[in-house]
């Protein structure tokens, strides 16, 4: 399976939910991340417990 599968992300989430919270995974966690660029009128659904990082290149609205 992939180094950071959905199952592994869920395990990380459950560990953080029941113990001390680590604000973000280690930098190398993002090494195989997929980059998605959204355009006006589009949206991306990120399931609960999935680590993600957002960068806005202009004014935007997000709901978490």
């Amino acid at each position: 399976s992939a180094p950071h599968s959905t199952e592994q992300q869920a395990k990380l989430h459950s560990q953080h939910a029941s113990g001390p919270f680590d604000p973000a995974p280690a930098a190398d966690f993002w090494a195989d991340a997929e980059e998605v660029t959204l355009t006006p009128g589009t949206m991306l659904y990120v399931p609960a417990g999935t680590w993600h990082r957002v960068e806005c290149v202009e004014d935007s609205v997000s709901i978490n």
Side-chain angles (χ1 to χ4, degrees), residues 6-60:
T6 302
E7 181 180 337
Q8 288 173 315
Q9 291 175 4
K11 288 178 184 177
L12 283 170
H13 176 71
S14 66
Q15 290 170 351
H16 289 298
S18 63
F21 180 75
D22 182 10
D28 66 344
F29 180 89
W30 306 106
D32 62 348
E34 182 174 342
E35 183 175 320
V36 177
T37 301
L38 301 179
T39 57
T42 62
M43 63 175 268
L44 175 68
Y45 172 75
V46 180
T50 303
W51 284 103
H52 60 283
R53 179 170 59 187
V54 177
E55 178 181 335
C56 300
V57 295
E58 57 186 51
D59 291 344
S60 66

